[in-house]
Amino acid sequence: MTAAAISERTNELLLRFNLTTAAAELARRLEQAGQPEVLGLVLEVLEMEAEAREQRKIGRLRRASQLPPGKTFETLDRNVFQPALDRKLRELARGEFLEGAINLLAFGPPGVGKSHAATALGHALIEQGHAVLFRPAYQLVQELLAAKHDLMLPRLLRRLDAAELLILDDIGYVKQSAEEAEVLFTLIAQRYERRSVMITSNLVFSEWERIFKEPMATAAAIDRLVHHAIILEFNSASYRTRARPRVSDPPAEGTMVNKAARSKDDPGD
Ligand code: ADP
Ligand code: MG
């Protein structure tokens, strides 16, 4: 590193830590004292400070995110997904979609890895310092409803606004009341074009009237969600069934076949 680069980087870090006077004085003073080379050592320590701060921030973001632990890209088997979907997920993990408040809509039958992929994405974004919040959709709807009854809905919405990505897991899983549909719509409308939402769902759009009750509200919600959105189609076979040992696979030498794991259409022994 050249002396100029060291000086510039030191300045940058001191300003980031709000040490404005130190930023203005440090290099000049060392120069005057005839020890300009000491700045290199100072910079090393400042870099340690920056790294420690970053790690603390990521720890805070991770705790606040309520993301299920362990469901990361490391534990996600990429071979299961269509190559296009896999590529898309990797690209999204870079986080550029957050700038445009792009929404992510993950569709597919149960067990195909929608929630795991959404969670993995959340973890990857946090590693880059982005704020993410993961909520099972029905839970968040209950929280919104409770806040509304206490006249605290605006406050909760403001709090949710801190999340650059709000993951609503499994929307439409339970039948909702009109009031539940209304608070969910309020949330979607409030984030529209400002903050990204990721939704996972087993229901395709044509079934979304079950979520939003009336055709008008359904159309309005879908309209806002898809205006700037990326649709992720999960159409592989269920990972749950796939992970189970299949009876058609001969057991490896020396292993016991677990009878309980056999499917009912297995002719058995
Ligand atoms: P969905 O949300 O689509 O119903 P999940 O993401 O909950 O499915 O996946 C069901 C189970 O299978 C979870 O335990 C998940 O961790 C696991 N799983 C799904 N897809 C994969 C995958 N590609 N690699 C590893 N585990 C997976
Ligand atoms: Mg799920």
Side-chain angles (χ1 to χ4, degrees):
M1 240 177 156
T2 65
I6 290 174
S7 171
E8 194 180 319
R9 174 71 179 157
T10 304
N11 222 31
E12 183 190 328
L13 288 180
L14 288 173
L15 290 177
R16 190 189 298 172
F17 304 154
N18 281 325
L19 299 172
T20 44
T21 309
E25 296 290 326
L26 188 62
R28 196 169 53 83
R29 296 257 175 152
L30 286 173
E31 192 102 29
Q32 279 171 358
Q35 297 189 308
E37 70 286 350
V38 173
L39 198 61
L41 190 63
V42 172
L43 178 56
E44 263 180 46
V45 177
L46 290 177
E47 293 286 8
M48 287 170 69
E49 176 70 31
E51 176 60 24
R53 284 184 185 210
E54 183 66 17
Q55 287 311 318
R56 282 201 297 274
K57 178 186 173 190
I58 289 171
R60 275 197 307 276
L61 289 172
R62 197 178 287 127
R63 281 190 299 280
S65 71
Q66 306 189 44
L67 281 165
K71 305 273 179 193
T72 60
F73 277 120
E74 282 74 46
T75 57
L76 192 66
D77 178 0
R78 307 174 54 170
N79 302 319
V80 181
F81 300 135
Q82 304 280 334
L85 174 61
D86 182 52
R87 270 198 307 279
K88 199 77 207 165
L89 287 171
R90 305 287 145 169
E91 182 197 320
L92 292 170
R94 295 206 303 267
E96 283 144 19
F97 72 98
L98 295 172
E99 281 159 42
I102 310 286
N103 296 323
L104 308 179
L105 308 170
F107 292 121
V112 293
K114 301 181 299 295
S115 298
H116 191 143
T119 308
L121 195 56
H123 281 296
L125 295 171
I126 283 175
E127 290 300 322
Q128 294 158 62
H130 294 295
V132 175
L133 182 65
F134 177 98
R135 302 299 291 131
Y138 75 91
Q139 269 182 30
L140 186 66
V141 166
Q142 291 318 308
E143 287 157 18
L144 289 167
L145 210 54
K148 185 180 172 223
H149 290 163
D150 297 341
L151 305 178
M152 305 280 258
L153 187 56
R155 192 166 148 179
L156 176 57
L157 289 174
R158 270 202 307 281
R159 232 181 57 219
L160 294 174
D161 224 43
E164 291 167 76
L165 178 64
L166 175 62
I167 302 174
L168 288 178
D169 190 42
D170 231 346
I171 202 175
Y173 184 64
V174 278
K175 248 191 154 38
Q176 299 191 101
S177 70
E179 207 186 7
E180 287 165 336
E182 188 199 312
V183 286
L184 183 57
F185 181 79
T186 304
L187 172 70
I188 289 168
Q190 199 252 359
R191 290 184 76 92
Y192 174 60
E193 291 196 321
R194 294 190 315 106
R195 291 290 206 192
S196 294
V197 179
M198 177 165 195
I199 285 176
T200 77
S201 185
N202 305 329
L203 301 179
V204 292
F205 284 138
S206 57
E207 298 168 310
W208 274 34
E209 252 182 76
R210 274 162 52 189
I211 307 173
F212 290 99
K213 302 288 133 196
E214 335 148 22
M216 282 289 279
T218 307
I222 293 176
D223 206 49
R224 279 172 181 73
L225 282 172
V226 302
H227 186 191
H228 311 283
I230 292 169
I231 305 224
L232 303 167
E233 300 254 22
F234 288 69
N235 42 22
S236 48
S238 164
Y239 195 85
R240 289 193 187 99
T241 2
R242 181 190 283 254
R244 227 177 283 151
R246 284 187 322 186
V247 281
S248 52
D249 297 336
E253 204 79 46
T255 55
M256 300 252 294
V257 177
N258 179 3
K259 280 191 179 171
R262 295 188 166 192
S263 64
K264 61 179 186 308
D265 52 9
D266 174 32
D269 28 34

